[in-house]
Amino acid sequence: MSYPFSTEGEPDLEEELWQESVVYIRDDIVLIADVRRRIKGHAIAHVLGNVRRIAGGRFVVMSQKSQDVAYEVDADHTICTCRDFEIHRKPCKHILAVEIFLGREGESCYQ
């Protein structure tokens, strides 16, 4: 299948999830980015040790690209120290990973 963006270097993704997302986002490139964030959040959350609680609602989330890089997520205020969050001010893959880790997926997603 051909996607309107590169999936090179990404973890194996469920074809069904991609098919479902492509149906709904064919005409809206912004939603493609949102779906990719959600999928990457799942990929991060499901690797043991990628999400660690610091204290209270604060977490350290490991980067997908470099094991030497980590971001701090404040789950109580939906804030992350990554560049994506700084630019877009909406839940990034690290925030989504914490929500998944906590079993709260979707509570702050894109509202």
Side-chain angles (χ1 to χ4, degrees):
M1 171 175 218
S2 160
Y3 302 108
F5 47 82
S6 172
T7 59
E8 184 177 322
E10 304 249 344
D12 290 337
L13 304 171
E14 291 184 29
E15 184 66 23
E16 184 176 324
L17 183 55
W18 279 112
Q19 289 291 346
E20 180 181 328
S21 62
V22 170
V23 169
Y24 293 107
I25 59 180
R26 192 170 306 253
D27 297 324
D28 194 342
I29 205 73
V30 172
L31 288 180
I32 291 173
D34 291 346
V35 169
R36 289 188 73 198
R37 280 186 192 96
R38 185 173 299 246
I39 291 169
K40 288 181 176 188
H42 273 275
I44 293 168
H46 288 96
V47 173
L48 186 62
N50 270 355
V51 179
R52 295 187 308 262
R53 186 184 301 267
I54 301 171
R58 291 183 25 231
F59 294 81
V60 169
V61 180
M62 299 306 295
S63 169
Q64 280 187 301
K65 294 180 182 175
S66 172
Q67 290 301 315
D68 299 331
V69 177
Y71 302 100
E72 188 173 329
V73 172
D74 181 336
D76 296 331
H77 299 101
T78 317
I79 297 170
C80 182
T81 58
C82 76
R83 180 113 171 103
D84 183 50
F85 182 79
E86 289 175 9
I87 292 170
H88 300 290
R89 300 312 254 184
K90 62 192 293 186
C92 62
K93 62 186 177 183
H94 309 105
I95 291 171
L96 298 172
V98 168
E99 288 183 351
I100 293 162
F101 178 81
L102 294 173
R104 301 185 337 200
E105 182 179 10
E107 285 187 16
S108 68
C109 296
Y110 315 109
Q111 293 185 22

